Amino acid sequence: MQIEWFTSVDGVMQRFSELRGQAQVAQETAYREKKMRGWCPSCQRETNMHLVETPDGGWTNLREALFCECGLNSRMRMIMSAVEKYPPSGRFLMFERVTPLFGRMQERYPFVEGCEYFGDDVAPGEIRQAHGIDVRHENMLNLSYSDRTFRYVFHGDVLEHVPDMHVALRECHRVLEPGGTLLFTCPVFNFRKHNVRAVVENGKLRHILEPAYHGNPMDPNGALVFAEPGLELLDDLRRAGFAVAELGLAFNPDQGILRDGNPYDDYNMWPIIFKAMRAN
């Protein structure tokens, strides 16, 4: 999969405009056919990808609901492709442990370490049981790891669920070695600025907008959305101390990597992944 990398918001917005027609045709085809044939980076071959539609008949998110036979959805396949292009060496941490993506990543990179978030009342670094396995608890706002521990850090759709994404990015920077790489995804919308939905003030949760939740393998009630990130994440990464910050556009219908198909254009997300590097 070819990923187009951008260092400026203006550059990626221009590319969105150029690809809009092609993207619209691809998502209409996916909804109509309910399947696609394409290359899967996990299976390492061309496979069938099937659309698992929303049970209530509403809008189906193509980012999450277009599954390969191996069990990975579009977002996870995009992540696998990106990691293959920038393969980890040294210690590798994923803020993910109980998903199919971690299992596939562990097959490829046996040295990967995983963690999950169990709640504010759990001590950082504590081991808990989840889904029948031992899982390390970590809070991205206060990691238990020492400075400069990892060569490679990944988190997938976590940042929108932490009360302060700026602190979280600084923590990721802190635990990376000099020259280390941070790779991550989050549901980035087509607006430039973050849309804040909830905040924690003086230890208390305050909702700014109606509460919204995303699916969470650790909690059947879902995970609260604190913010809907915008493209200003590029600047946030630089403010967090990263020497290099890039936004990767991974749109590729031949691999079933499409826009999410949201009927509201501002929320029709492109397949995006961020890459940042700590200075040597």
Side-chain angles (χ1 to χ4, degrees), residues 257-269:
I257 311 296
L258 314 175
R259 291 196 305 179
D260 71 346
N262 192 300
Y264 297 97
D265 190 60
D266 281 348
Y267 288 84
N268 198 328
M269 286 185 290

Side-chain angles (χ1 to χ4, degrees), residues 97-233:
R97 179 61 185 87
V98 299
T99 69
L101 176 62
F102 183 87
R104 291 287 176 171
M105 203 72 77
Q106 193 174 45
E107 291 173 3
R108 199 74 49 86
Y109 309 104
F111 51 89
V112 64
E113 303 172 43
C115 62
E116 295 281 358
Y117 172 74
F118 284 85
D120 289 339
D121 58 339
V122 182
E126 184 175 329
I127 304 299
R128 291 283 183 102
Q129 276 273 316
H131 302 275
I133 58 175
D134 289 338
V135 179
R136 180 179 179 129
H137 160 76
E138 288 293 343
N139 182 339
M140 198 183 283
L141 297 180
N142 182 28
L143 299 175
S144 68
Y145 298 104
S146 301
D147 295 358
R148 305 183 177 192
T149 297
F150 295 99
R151 187 68 182 174
Y152 202 101
V153 170
F154 168 79
H155 50 85
D157 282 29
V158 175
L159 202 58
E160 69 271 25
H161 300 298
V162 298
D164 191 328
M165 69 175 72
H166 305 99
V167 172
L169 292 175
R170 289 198 295 271
E171 277 290 272
C172 289
H173 181 271
R174 179 183 67 78
V175 300
L176 277 171
E177 297 176 358
T181 298
L182 170 67
L183 199 72
F184 71 92
T185 65
C186 58
V188 177
F189 300 101
N190 295 344
F191 38 76
R192 292 170 180 258
K193 298 293 182 182
H194 306 315
N195 184 30
V196 178
R197 302 190 64 92
V199 295
V200 174
E201 296 174 336
N202 300 317
K204 294 184 178 181
L205 176 66
R206 180 170 70 87
H207 293 286
I208 298 171
L209 300 174
E210 187 72 19
Y213 296 85
H214 292 166
N216 181 2
M218 299 297 293
D219 187 343
N221 296 315
L224 178 67
V225 178
F226 280 91
E228 296 165 330
L231 295 169
E232 65 176 306
L233 266 173

Side-chain angles (χ1 to χ4, degrees), residues 35-49:
K35 63 181 180 180
M36 299 187 77
R37 184 80 178 166
W39 176 265
C40 174
S42 174
C43 299
Q44 291 290 296
R45 60 185 175 86
E46 194 172 87
T47 66
N48 295 311
M49 299 167 188

